[in-house]
């Protein structure tokens, strides 16, 4: 529809119809049985005029449901404004890809863009029109269950991944209305949800505006620059105000600084939580705070439909502000082409995408192999397919490897570790628990593969832990298996960094599989047999002990730095644990043996008009190929506010065939030195700086340079 007609539509709407348009409910509010519940259901009492003019439905369970709901709605909506259907397509719709923390571990934005297009397309075929993804929260605290849902602790990596997902879901600007394989993206949770106190979901957060701009906004900025159509404010606070009621966040930062012109939609029942947090006494006041702060759509609280009309009558809310919000929702529907085709060709007429088809499953397998991180390999992997394998462990043959936020993914579709191995290797047997520790019982086995880790239900929203150690019974299992004298490969399934300190020494090889999704077992078999090469690198730091958390590589300097090798009093240290993590950000191994040469530079002086080129040669001396993720970090030596030594600025991923050498070049510009200063401006300081080139945040070569 021509945009000029949107205003003509708007002026015809009654106040009740406008308020209905700004409301989203699950199908249960329309008296239907189906609809995934991703929050607590509230009070169903809603005046019919609002249901007849409802703006959106979330979490309908099939395209039949959505077709039926849309048809019914269009009979009752006086102005025939179609519903828009939304759902959490976080890492797949029916074909499940690795959890986003695993997607971050690929360090492969192009791969993730393709993944987002495929999973969005699968969802679009079933009627979904908007996804509440990417989840762009920076995550530094592995106790928080939702670290699985984002791409980790680095704002630069998160920014690349968020933008890739938006581009994958939405495609090029302007094609949403014409390409039924695309869906609109809603980037969330704006902003800083990952900073929850004590790693406990929904608890309070408190951080400075500098931290907001420096660490939490980049992934939202890149998603918005990539064209994200919606933004979802977080349940949490900023400067004591819920993000959903924060004029600073929703207007000054989102509209003026980030230049976002799309729609904002609350999180589930978020507006009602103002009452629980005692900043509103009732839903009318809550709806007034949200609408006046700049919230456009109320998800599942019912505050708008129960309070806004009276708030307008009392002069607490200006109808013009309601019109602005309604226009944004009409614009979203227009961008999706819903006025021309409320069904967006989905369902029986939508033949161009296959749901759960071979192509998308093959890609799910490819992405899973690239997400899995090889943490240790004492000359065990890869295994010849003639090797006799014994599979054991609580997750050795489990299909519960989809992870949280798996939409309509089915565990029965998932390929377990054991099944994947059985398809690839000639001799694989299951060793039942509790396992024998008698070597005689393992006479027909060459290598033990143990599926370990945490339950997928202990990850995701509202699934936080005080103890992130590998469960004690699994340590006991490994100690028993050690008596067999067989090499043990640990495959660890998790939605967060787990503390592996007690098991690293008990395992000969470790593959960190996250929750790898539908094709997990096949991907693991591809890696264990060497058909695929390990590519994954850690997107989050792995602590040595739960008590170190939150732990992340780019913590600002402090005035009393500790030295793990020479600990001394009056330094920033623990008396019962070294500061260093068990595995650092960016860490991961390959099967090759790759030696990094000495970096060379074309000049030592960086200016605004002259970048610095750094070249490094990588030599793979082994008989296996290797996929290397060469990382480039940089940081100024003297800064206006206290900063970390360095931060990730570039990376390159290259495959280096066995016995060959590859040269890599990085270009350093002054923008790589820019950071948010005390006046909130992002700029670079002249002076000395360092660049670190290497295979992780702690394994690098350092160059001293100067910016003039
Ligand atoms: C949940 C989550 C949010 C999700 C929404 C709808 O509470 O916080 O990420 O998009 O509800 O399912």
């Amino acid at each position: 529809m021509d945009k000029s007609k949107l205003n003509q539509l708007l002026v015809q709407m009654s106040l009740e119809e406008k308020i209905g348009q700004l409301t989203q409910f699950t199908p249960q509010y329309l008296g239907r049985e189906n609809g995934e519940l991703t929050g607590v259901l509230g009070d169903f009492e809603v005046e019919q005029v609002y249901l007849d003019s409802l703006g959106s439905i979330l979490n309908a369970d099939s395209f039949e449901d959505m077709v039926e709901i849309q048809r019914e709605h269009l009979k009752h909506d006086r102005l025939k404004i179609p519903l828009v259907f939304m759902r959490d397509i976080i890492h797949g719709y029916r074909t499940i890809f690795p959890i986003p923390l695993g997607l971050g571990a690929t360090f492969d934005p192009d791969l993730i863009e393709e993944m987002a297009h495929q999973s969005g397309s699968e969802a679009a075929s079933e009627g979904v029109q908007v996804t509440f993804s990417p989840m762009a929260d920076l995550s530094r605290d592995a106790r928080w269950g939702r670290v699985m849902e984002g791409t980790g602790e680095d704002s630069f990596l998160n920014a690349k991944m968020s933008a890739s997902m938006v581009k994958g879901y939405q495609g090029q600007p302007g094609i949403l209305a014409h390409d039924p394989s695309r869906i609109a993206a809603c980037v969330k949770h704006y902003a800083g949800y990952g900073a929850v106190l004590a790693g406990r979901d929904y608890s309070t957060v408190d951080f400075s505006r500098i931290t907001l701009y420096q660490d939490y906004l980049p992934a939202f900025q890149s998603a918005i620059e990539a064209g994200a159509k919606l933004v979802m404010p977080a349940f949490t606070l900023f400067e004591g105000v819920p993000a959903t009621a924060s004029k600073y966040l929703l207007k000054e930062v989102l509209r003026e600084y980030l230049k976002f012109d799309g729609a904002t939609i609350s999180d589930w029942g978020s507006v009602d939580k103002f009452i629980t947090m005692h900043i509103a006494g009732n839903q009318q006041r809550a709806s007034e705070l949200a609408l006046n702060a700049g919230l456009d759509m109320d998800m599942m609280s019912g505050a708008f439909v129960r309070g806004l009309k009276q708030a307008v009558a009392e002069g607490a809310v200006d109808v013009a502000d309601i019109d602005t919000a309604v226009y944004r929702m009409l614009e979203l529907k227009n961008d999706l082409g819903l006025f021309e085709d409320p069904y967006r060709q989905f369902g029986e007429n939508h033949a161009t995408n296959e749901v759960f088809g071979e192509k998308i499953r093959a890609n799910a397998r490819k992405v899973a192999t690239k997400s899995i991180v090889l943490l240790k390999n004492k000359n065990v992997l890869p295994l010849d397919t003639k090797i006799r394998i014994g599979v054991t462990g609580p997750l050795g043959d489990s299909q519960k490897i989809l992870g949280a936020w798996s939409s309509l993914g089915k565990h029965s579709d998932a390929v377990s570790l054991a099944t994947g191995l059985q398809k690839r290797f000639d001799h694989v047997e299951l060793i039942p628990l509790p396992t024998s520790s008698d070597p005689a019982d393992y006479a027909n086995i060459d290598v033990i593969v143990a599926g370990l880790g945490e339950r997928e239900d202990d990850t995701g929203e509202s699934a936080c832990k005080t103890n992130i150690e590998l469960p004690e019974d699994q340590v006991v299992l490994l100690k028993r298996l050690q008596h067999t004298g067989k090499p043990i490969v640990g495959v660890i399934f998790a939605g967060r960094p787990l503390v592996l300190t007690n098991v690293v020494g008990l395992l000969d090889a470790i593959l960190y599989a996250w929750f790898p999704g539908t094709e997990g077992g096949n991907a693991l078999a591809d890696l264990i047999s060497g058909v695929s090469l390990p590519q994954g690198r850690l997107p989050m730091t792995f602590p040595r002990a739960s008590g170190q958390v939150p732990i992340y590589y780019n913590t600002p300097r402090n005035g009393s730095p500790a030295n793990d090798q020479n600990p001394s009093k009056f330094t920033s240290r623990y008396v019962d644990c070294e500061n260093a993590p068990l595995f650092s950000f960016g860490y991961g191994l390959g099967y090759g043996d790759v030696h990094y040469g000495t970096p060379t530079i074309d000049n030592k002086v960086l200016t605004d008009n002259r970048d610095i080129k750094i070249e490094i040669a990588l030599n793979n001396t082994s008989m296996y190929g290797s996929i290397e993720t060469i990382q480039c970090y940089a940081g100024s030596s003297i800064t206006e506010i206290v900063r970390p030594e360095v931060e990730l600025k570039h990376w390159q991923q290259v495959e280096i065939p066995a016995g060959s050498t590859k040269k890599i070049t990085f270009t350093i510009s002054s923008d790589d030195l820019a950071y948010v200063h005390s006046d909130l401006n992002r700029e670079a300081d002249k002076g000395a700086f360092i660049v670190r080139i290497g295979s992780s945040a702690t394994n690098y070569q350092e160059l001293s340079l100067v910016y003039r």
Side-chain angles (χ1 to χ4, degrees):
M1 180 192 288
D2 183 280
K3 286 204 173 182
S4 62
K5 292 189 180 162
L6 294 179
N7 276 312
Q8 292 166 21
L9 185 56
L10 179 57
V11 300
Q12 296 174 58
M13 296 169 77
S14 67
L15 177 59
E16 291 85 349
E17 288 168 333
K18 292 175 183 176
I19 295 170
Q21 190 60 224
L22 301 181
T23 297
Q24 180 184 71
F25 285 130
T26 58
Q28 284 84 350
Y29 277 75
L30 302 178
R32 301 177 70 90
E33 295 298 314
N34 291 356
E36 184 185 7
L37 297 182
T38 52
V40 178
L41 268 183
D43 169 5
F44 281 159
E45 277 309 302
V46 178
E47 286 178 54
Q48 194 58 41
V49 64
Y50 296 121
L51 295 177
D52 290 346
S53 57
L54 195 63
S56 175
I57 286 283
L58 81 155
N59 293 354
D61 274 340
S62 71
F63 78 77
E64 291 90 353
D65 282 356
M66 283 181 255
V67 169
E68 215 172 285
I69 291 169
Q70 189 74 285
R71 279 199 187 117
E72 270 308 297
H73 171 77
L74 291 172
K75 286 178 193 163
H76 299 104
D77 187 295
R78 182 176 67 87
L79 294 167
K80 307 298 173 215
I81 301 173
L83 290 160
V84 56
F85 291 94
M86 304 190 191
R87 188 184 187 96
D88 302 274
I89 312 301
I90 306 297
H91 54 112
Y93 174 77
R94 166 80 191 279
T95 307
I96 304 304
F97 289 80
I99 55 171
L101 197 52
L103 302 179
T106 67
F107 275 75
D108 192 340
D110 294 341
L111 181 76
I112 301 317
E113 181 174 339
E114 183 190 9
M115 179 285 293
H117 182 196
Q118 280 198 317
S119 58
S121 165
E122 191 178 59
S125 301
E126 295 280 290
V128 176
Q129 298 160 351
V130 175
T131 176
F132 301 119
S133 171
M135 190 269 211
D137 297 298
L138 185 82
S139 304
R140 294 166 161 164
D141 192 326
R143 294 169 296 180
W144 188 43
R146 301 196 79 161
V147 299
M148 53 70 56
E149 204 177 336
T151 50
E153 71 185 44
D154 183 80
S155 51
F156 179 63
L157 174 62
N158 290 349
K160 293 289 186 186
M161 291 296 174
S162 294
S164 291
M165 287 186 200
V166 170
K167 287 184 273 189
Y169 291 133
Q170 296 187 174
Q172 290 305 312
I175 68 161
L176 260 182
H178 313 294
D179 180 348
S181 76
R182 305 288 183 173
I183 57 177
C186 173
V187 60
K188 68 186 186 185
H189 306 81
Y190 176 72
Y193 185 3
V196 281
L197 178 70
R200 192 175 67 252
D201 215 348
Y202 318 126
S203 71
T204 194
V205 304
D206 193 4
F207 50 83
S208 68
R209 292 192 180 193
I210 289 176
T211 299
L212 171 70
Y213 281 81
Q214 179 67 46
D215 298 332
Y216 291 110
L217 287 187
F220 288 94
Q221 181 162 6
S222 67
I224 289 165
E225 287 169 355
K229 292 292 180 185
L230 298 101
V231 169
M232 180 191 291
F235 286 128
T236 46
L237 313 180
F238 184 69
E239 295 181 340
V241 176
T244 312
S246 168
K247 286 182 182 171
Y248 178 70
L249 279 187
L250 294 181
K251 290 187 173 176
E252 189 170 332
V253 178
L254 186 61
R255 302 293 178 186
E256 294 166 28
Y257 176 72
L258 295 177
K259 306 279 187 273
F260 179 64
D261 61 4
T264 58
I265 179 169
S266 80
D267 203 337
W268 183 297
S270 208
V271 179
D272 260 358
K273 296 179 190 303
F274 301 171
I275 302 169
T276 318
M277 290 191 262
H278 290 240
I279 62 163
N282 55 44
Q283 285 194 307
Q284 177 184 327
R285 175 65 179 148
S287 68
E288 173 196 322
L289 288 173
L291 198 287
N292 287 340
L295 182 73
D296 297 323
M297 178 165 269
D298 168 21
M299 179 200 292
M300 288 300 288
S301 85
F304 276 17
V305 294
R306 296 194 192 100
L308 265 187
K309 184 177 176 184
Q310 188 55 30
V312 169
E314 294 175 10
V317 167
D318 186 333
V319 175
D321 292 333
I322 289 181
D323 288 353
T324 300
V326 172
Y327 186 83
R328 288 182 184 134
M329 291 316 297
L330 297 179
E331 205 168 29
L332 169 68
K333 295 179 177 184
N334 200 41
D335 289 347
L336 281 162
L338 294 182
F339 291 106
E340 288 73 28
D341 175 6
Y343 306 92
R344 288 191 87 233
Q345 306 172 48
F346 63 58
E348 62 276 17
N349 304 323
H350 182 32
T352 55
N353 301 293
E354 49 175 6
V355 175
F356 201 60
E358 282 316 306
K359 183 166 174 274
I360 189 170
R361 289 193 63 169
N363 199 38
R365 179 173 183 162
K366 179 175 79 171
V367 176
T369 62
K370 291 171 175 294
S371 69
I372 293 165
V373 185
L374 179 64
L375 296 178
K376 180 179 180 182
N377 186 23
K378 219 168 71 180
N379 304 317
V380 175
L381 297 178
L383 300 178
D384 183 287
T385 52
K386 297 276 183 278
I387 290 284
R388 299 168 302 170
I389 294 174
V391 182
T392 189
L395 289 157
D397 192 25
S398 169
Q399 290 180 289
K400 292 197 166 185
I401 57 172
L402 302 183
W405 291 111
S406 292
S407 193
L408 294 185
K410 295 178 182 173
H411 287 123
S412 56
D413 291 332
V415 179
S416 73
L417 168 60
T419 301
L421 291 171
Q422 281 161 343
K423 289 197 283 181
R424 169 77 60 190
F425 287 82
D426 298 347
H427 178 91
V428 177
E429 63 179 89
L430 288 178
I431 308 170
L433 293 172
T435 56
S436 151
S437 58
D438 179 351
D441 292 333
Y442 296 81
N444 296 328
I445 286 174
D446 301 315
V447 174
I448 296 170
V449 176
L452 309 165
E454 62 182 341
R455 295 177 338 115
E456 60 181 4
D457 293 344
D458 293 342
T459 71
E461 183 172 359
S462 185
C464 305
K465 289 184 167 182
T466 57
N467 178 351
I468 54 173
E469 316 268 341
L470 201 71
E472 184 54 30
D473 60 327
Q474 297 180 28
V475 180
V476 170
L477 165 67
L478 291 177
K479 286 178 177 170
R480 289 171 61 85
L481 291 173
Q482 272 223 312
H483 292 301
T484 66
K486 302 293 181 183
I488 308 171
V489 176
V491 176
I492 298 173
F493 298 92
R496 55 168 52 88
L498 292 175
V499 172
L500 305 176
T501 312
N502 294 340
V503 297
V504 170
L506 303 175
L507 292 166
D508 298 283
I510 303 173
L511 286 165
Y512 212 79
W514 314 106
F515 285 106
T518 306
E519 287 290 321
N522 286 332
L524 283 158
D526 290 346
L527 289 168
I528 290 170
S529 65
V531 162
S532 297
L533 296 170
Q535 166 178 326
R537 294 293 182 270
L538 295 181
M540 279 185 80
T541 298
F542 272 50
R544 200 175 288 276
S546 299
Q548 286 180 301
V549 169
I551 181 172
Y552 50 99
Y553 84 92
N554 55 336
T555 48
R557 295 180 176 93
N558 69 68
S560 308
N563 177 333
D564 283 339
Q565 281 62 47
N566 178 22
S568 58
K569 209 162 172 56
F570 309 118
T571 59
S572 177
R573 68 182 180 113
Y574 303 101
V575 294
D576 60 352
C577 179
E578 56 187 288
N579 284 0
L582 188 63
F583 298 113
S584 71
F585 173 82
Y587 174 81
L589 301 174
Y591 291 146
D593 189 6
V594 177
H595 299 277
Y596 283 53
T598 303
T600 57
I601 53 177
D602 63 351
N603 72 83
K604 283 182 72 89
V605 178
L606 172 70
T607 68
D608 290 338
N609 306 316
R610 182 174 176 184
D611 296 340
I612 290 179
K613 290 204 183 309
I614 301 174
E615 189 174 88
I616 185 167
L618 282 76
N619 178 18
N620 180 0
T621 57
S622 77
M623 59 186 282
Y624 296 108
S626 196
I627 299 172
E628 285 296 304
T629 300
I630 306 95
Q631 300 151 45
C632 175
Y633 299 79
S636 299
S637 302
I638 300 293
T639 50
E640 185 238 8
I641 57 169
V642 179
R643 300 276 298 131
E645 288 181 1
V646 294
E647 290 183 305
L648 182 68
K649 298 299 176 185
H650 304 279
W651 74 84
Q652 291 186 41
Q653 224 159 37
V654 287
E655 182 162 353
I656 308 175
S660 67
T661 297
K662 281 223 173 160
K663 283 190 177 177
I664 307 294
T665 301
F666 287 106
T667 300
I668 302 294
S669 72
S670 56
D671 186 59
D672 291 328
L673 302 179
Y675 64 90
V676 177
H677 283 59
S678 54
D679 61 2
L680 298 183
N681 284 323
R682 185 177 179 277
E683 53 200 2
D685 298 335
K686 297 283 175 58
F689 68 96
I690 60 171
V691 172
R692 289 174 179 169
I693 308 270
S695 59
S696 79
T698 52
N699 185 25
Y700 55 81
Q701 296 176 77
E702 185 169 299
L703 297 161
S704 297
L705 304 165
V706 66
Y707 170 37
R708 283 205 188 105

